[in-house]
Amino acid sequence: MARPRLLFVATLALSASPLALFAQTTATGTETRKAGDEHLGEIVLDAGASAVTAGTGPDFSLDAEGIARSQATTLQDALRDAPSVTTTRRGNLLTGGISIRGFGGNHHYPGDPATKIVVDGVADNPGRHYQSSSGAIADPALLRSIDVKTGPLASLEYGSGITGGAVTARTINGSDLTGGEDGFRFRQMLGANSNGDGWVTSSTLAWQVNGSLDFLLNYTRRGQGAQEDPDGNETARGFNVPSMLLKSRFRLDDANSITLSYASYESSESNVNLSNLLNDFAGLGLANIDRKGNVASLTWNYNPAGNDLTDLELTYSRSDQDHNILGLTPGFAQTQSGLFNNVTDRVTLTNTARFDTGFISHSLRAGLGWSSEERTRLKTSPASGKDRRLSLFAIDTMDFGNELRATLGLRLEDQKISATTAPAGPYDGLARTLGLGLEKGFGNGLAVFGSFTYTEALPTYDVLTATYDGKLQQSRNWEGGVRYEGGDLLSAGDTFSGSITLYRSELWNTMFALSVPGRELTREGVEIAANYRMAGGTYLNGTVNLTDNKRLMAGGVWDLDSYSPSDTLTLTVGHKFGNGLDVSWRMEAQKGIIVGTADHAGFGVHDLKASYTVQQGNLEGLVIDFGVENVFDRSYHYAMTPLQGATSPRPGEPWVNETGRNFRLNLSKTF
């Protein structure tokens, strides 16, 4: 049977089933979390939440309060305490990177499907112009929740070939500010930071007309100059990025609601590298890059009361992204000059149906997705063409009673690329993902879990060269561990959640240049996460990530991958006082590692944060966030940081360090 027919038959079978009426629940527990439910700025490890896929480690979640307390400049910065997540180029809205289980965080990230960022159900676009991500910019000031799902089984809904994990974020609604009450509310946030003379202003106007209709308008502008490391070397170029969000939600009745959303941004960079890093990796050259884009979406939710089989979400979105590149360096930079335009249309239909078959309780989440990406360049280039995809996924989490759960996940994704000028010509492929997870609890808050997932990754325009042999990138993934949730351990009213997760991923037919295309890779490690809270207000969060990432070299020799992260430790200790003050200290440490001939030194970096909410008077509700990053002005870089190129603006300096000491101050108030 031809691949399109196979996908069609599977789709028809699922759509005909009365058990899968294609509806969606609000998939994360953070969406209903109210401000003040947790200590400000703390993480939430949702180990026991119903949204967690059985057989995988806990989700990492941040609500709006936690995002604000993180004082993050980028979405990636807000995730620095997530297990197995490493963020690089901290504080730069345009170049900040993220690595999950050793995937991403380097100059190859924008074209690699192993990690995915999804905002309001809209995924970032694959591919790169040239190394700059073609996806939209997500300013953390616009977000009300962020969740990290590690591993391919937990991330199966969001794409094919996601080996590392997926980051999902939701933007704020008007009712988030009005608190469900009719009328107007206005929130203003002002911020500044010392390293690079950065600044931010974010203004949000919310209007709830009645219980059925609300509106939201946000305008955020964030900018800063070049940042420096403790030695005075430039670590990140400056930026000035305006962004806007328009949103409206209309509840037709108790079961139906419609949400309209429009987000836009623009940026302009001069004399930067095509690699989108400070260093000119592999001599790609310097360029002026102007970016602008917008994402519009229309979502219909249908969730009738008393019907556990129907909780439906249908979304149509259009992403329109422009990159205008002017190459300044002869050679590769000039060959990539031109105006690139990506227009991506997406339709997704998802459903969570809850039902019983005998003694087994099911939570079946299923969905269909269609997307069409059209990439256009004004001059002839292999980058031009169309990428159309049709996907089907189903994840059934089954509860057998006695704290025994299993998850079975399936994803099929059919792709057709008509790259009109690509050397490889048209492409047609089908990617398959299949996973099984098991979890067993013991009645005392302790549970063990394990899973296996097989994945296949589809190509992007960038890998369709004359040498591409048509093989899909494939991987086998194992995951297992133990987690615990409990209370009253050391004192009355305290709570503890923690987990230990072991994982291993084996990849072959690699096509996204994590090492050399076509070679084999392994990613394995241990993730340890813990969150402890005392009734009196003291809290501790900690993570330990132990990794061993290798690639198969010529001659059959295995060696550490060039972008392998090192072992890391994070620890946050804080206390929330009853008068509105919340103070914390955070430490991040990396073990020294030698990759080939490159010696990456270990480090320990410390941050301090204080948040105070005025309790009474004319300024009641004013939130003051103050922080000091890299308190001791330590020179450091992550092990995955690439070497400088020969034509680097800093010849002779082997690494691009992270930013030195940085003072931050944010003020916000809702009127």
Side-chain angles (χ1 to χ4, degrees):
M1 181 182 292
R3 281 190 295 263
R5 290 186 59 197
L6 174 62
L7 188 59
F8 174 78
V9 170
T11 301
L12 183 62
L14 181 61
S15 62
S17 171
L19 303 179
L21 300 178
F22 297 117
Q24 172 172 348
T25 184
T26 53
T28 130
T30 60
E31 294 186 3
T32 57
R33 191 176 298 124
K34 298 179 180 179
D37 285 351
E38 287 87 24
H39 300 304
L40 295 180
E42 284 196 348
I43 65 173
V44 179
L45 293 170
D46 291 325
S50 59
V52 176
T53 303
T56 67
D59 287 351
F60 170 90
S61 302
L62 275 180
D63 62 7
E65 294 289 336
I67 296 170
R69 297 297 79 78
S70 72
Q71 299 181 19
T73 301
T74 69
L75 182 154
Q76 293 90 336
D77 285 349
L79 303 177
R80 299 179 67 224
D81 289 320
S84 271
V85 169
T86 302
T87 60
T88 57
R89 302 177 295 284
R90 179 180 181 182
N92 194 287
L93 191 61
L94 299 180
T95 64
I98 181 173
S99 169
I100 304 177
R101 291 185 173 176
F103 296 96
N106 53 67
H107 75 290
H108 292 304
Y109 161 68
D112 184 359
T115 54
K116 184 75 71 174
I117 296 178
V118 182
V119 179
D120 283 343
V122 180
D124 54 340
N125 292 331
R128 48 193 185 253
H129 301 309
Y130 173 68
Q131 300 285 359
S132 178
S133 173
S134 57
I137 295 172
D139 193 296
L142 307 180
L143 304 178
R144 65 169 173 145
S145 67
I146 307 175
D147 293 90
V148 179
K149 299 180 181 296
T150 52
L153 182 56
S155 309
L156 180 147
E157 173 182 347
Y158 306 103
S160 299
I162 302 179
T163 312
V167 177
T168 62
R170 293 283 181 178
T171 55
I172 54 180
N173 293 318
S175 58
D176 293 330
L177 263 67
T178 64
E181 299 180 358
D182 296 351
F184 291 90
R185 298 298 296 272
F186 177 75
R187 185 183 71 185
Q188 178 63 47
M189 188 267 279
L190 297 171
N193 62 276
S194 61
N195 197 324
D197 298 327
W199 54 272
V200 59
T201 174
S202 178
S203 304
T204 307
L205 176 65
W207 177 29
Q208 181 163 319
V209 181
N210 50 48
S212 300
L213 181 62
D214 61 68
F215 297 91
L216 180 137
L217 169 62
N218 175 279
Y219 178 80
T220 298
R221 196 174 190 104
R222 192 181 295 270
Q224 69 182 19
Q227 293 188 303
E228 297 180 344
D229 67 12
D231 301 321
N233 299 309
E234 189 174 299
T235 64
R237 302 289 170 84
F239 58 85
N240 190 325
V241 179
S243 57
M244 180 179 66
L245 173 66
L246 293 168
K247 207 168 183 182
S248 176
R249 185 167 55 174
F250 178 54
R251 300 169 182 84
L252 287 76
D253 52 40
D254 291 341
N256 293 273
S257 66
I258 295 176
T259 302
L260 291 166
S261 177
Y262 176 83
S264 67
Y265 76 94
E266 62 182 61
S267 68
S268 180
E269 302 172 276
S270 299
N271 201 39
V272 297
N273 292 284
L274 279 176
S275 64
N276 205 27
L277 307 180
L278 179 68
N279 58 305
D280 179 18
F281 183 85
L284 298 183
L286 303 177
N288 296 338
I289 303 177
D290 296 330
R291 299 172 62 189
K292 65 177 181 179
N294 61 76
V295 179
S297 65
L298 171 64
T299 300
W300 170 52
N301 290 94
Y302 178 58
N303 184 13
N307 186 346
D308 291 337
L309 294 178
T310 307
D311 186 0
L312 181 143
E313 181 175 283
L314 174 64
T315 298
Y316 166 75
S317 67
R318 165 164 281 207
S319 171
D320 191 343
Q321 313 291 329
D322 284 334
H323 283 61
N324 192 0
I325 300 176
L326 175 61
L328 304 178
T329 306
F332 191 85
Q334 291 188 348
T335 67
Q336 294 299 309
S337 292
L339 175 61
F340 296 83
N341 174 253
N342 266 34
V343 176
T344 307
D345 294 293
R346 291 184 177 90
V347 179
T348 59
L349 179 65
T350 51
N351 173 54
T352 301
R354 297 175 178 86
F355 55 91
D356 295 332
T357 56
F359 64 92
I360 305 174
S361 297
H362 298 259
S363 177
L364 174 61
R365 184 169 174 82
L368 279 170
W370 171 87
S371 68
S372 175
E373 177 190 2
E374 184 168 358
R375 177 187 289 192
T376 305
R377 183 176 175 179
L378 294 183
K379 55 192 275 188
T380 301
S381 165
S384 298
K386 295 182 180 180
D387 184 342
R388 291 186 175 88
R389 304 190 184 198
L390 179 64
S391 60
L392 161 74
F393 80 88
I395 306 174
D396 187 12
T397 298
M398 297 164 279
D399 191 334
F400 295 87
N402 197 28
E403 295 194 44
L404 176 63
R405 294 195 305 162
T407 294
L408 180 63
L410 168 70
R411 182 180 181 90
L412 299 173
E413 186 166 353
D414 184 68
Q415 178 191 44
K416 289 181 175 62
I417 295 182
S418 55
T420 55
T421 56
Y427 175 81
D428 185 359
L430 175 69
R432 300 157 296 180
T433 302
L434 181 64
L436 173 65
L438 296 171
E439 178 179 316
K440 178 67 174 75
F442 299 97
N444 55 0
L446 185 68
V448 295
F449 58 89
S451 67
F452 171 79
T453 309
Y454 168 80
T455 68
E456 295 175 342
L458 293 166
T460 62
Y461 298 106
D462 307 287
V463 302
L464 287 182
T465 65
T467 59
Y468 179 61
D469 59 7
K471 294 180 180 178
L472 294 179
Q473 179 172 294
Q474 299 169 267
S475 72
R476 291 183 291 259
N477 306 271
W478 293 267
E479 186 174 351
V482 58
R483 57 179 169 228
Y484 174 80
E485 279 190 300
D488 298 329
L489 299 179
L490 301 180
S491 61
D494 67 1
T495 61
F496 175 82
S497 63
S499 66
I500 301 175
T501 305
L502 291 80
Y503 66 90
R504 177 179 173 85
S505 297
E506 299 175 350
L507 290 84
W508 64 100
N509 300 330
T510 59
M511 67 175 79
F512 293 97
L514 283 164
S515 57
V516 176
R519 291 188 179 171
E520 298 180 31
L521 304 173
T522 63
R523 296 284 188 269
E524 60 183 15
V526 180
E527 303 165 347
I528 304 174
N531 182 12
Y532 177 70
R533 309 175 192 176
M534 300 182 68
T538 300
Y539 57 89
L540 297 91
N541 303 316
T543 64
V544 175
N545 297 314
L546 309 176
T547 66
D548 185 16
N549 299 336
K550 294 182 178 180
R551 58 177 175 170
L552 183 61
M553 306 294 290
V557 178
W558 286 89
D559 196 4
L560 284 178
D561 188 71
S562 300
Y563 301 114
S564 175
S566 182
D567 299 341
T568 59
L569 164 70
T570 69
L571 177 63
T572 300
V573 180
H575 186 85
K576 181 182 178 183
F577 297 87
N579 61 357
L581 178 65
D582 185 354
V583 296
S584 65
W585 159 83
R586 179 185 185 275
M587 183 270 293
E588 179 179 1
Q590 174 184 278
K591 179 183 177 182
I593 186 175
I594 298 177
V595 182
T597 59
D599 189 354
H600 301 274
F603 64 80
V605 179
H606 304 265
D607 299 337
L608 295 175
K609 292 181 182 177
S611 177
Y612 177 67
T613 303
V614 179
Q615 301 293 297
Q616 58 186 358
N618 294 332
L619 297 179
E620 182 180 354
L622 174 67
V623 180
I624 304 170
D625 292 314
F626 175 74
V628 185
E629 300 169 348
N630 196 356
V631 173
F632 299 108
D633 208 23
R634 176 74 182 269
S635 292
Y636 73 102
H637 70 272
Y638 293 99
M640 64 181 60
T641 304
L643 277 165
Q644 292 274 20
T647 60
S648 160
R650 292 173 53 203
E653 291 287 337
W655 311 107
V656 178
N657 286 326
E658 296 292 320
T659 303
R661 185 186 295 116
N662 190 20
F663 294 89
R664 289 191 178 276
L665 176 64
N666 287 351
L667 307 174
S668 62
K669 180 171 171 55
T670 302
F671 301 90

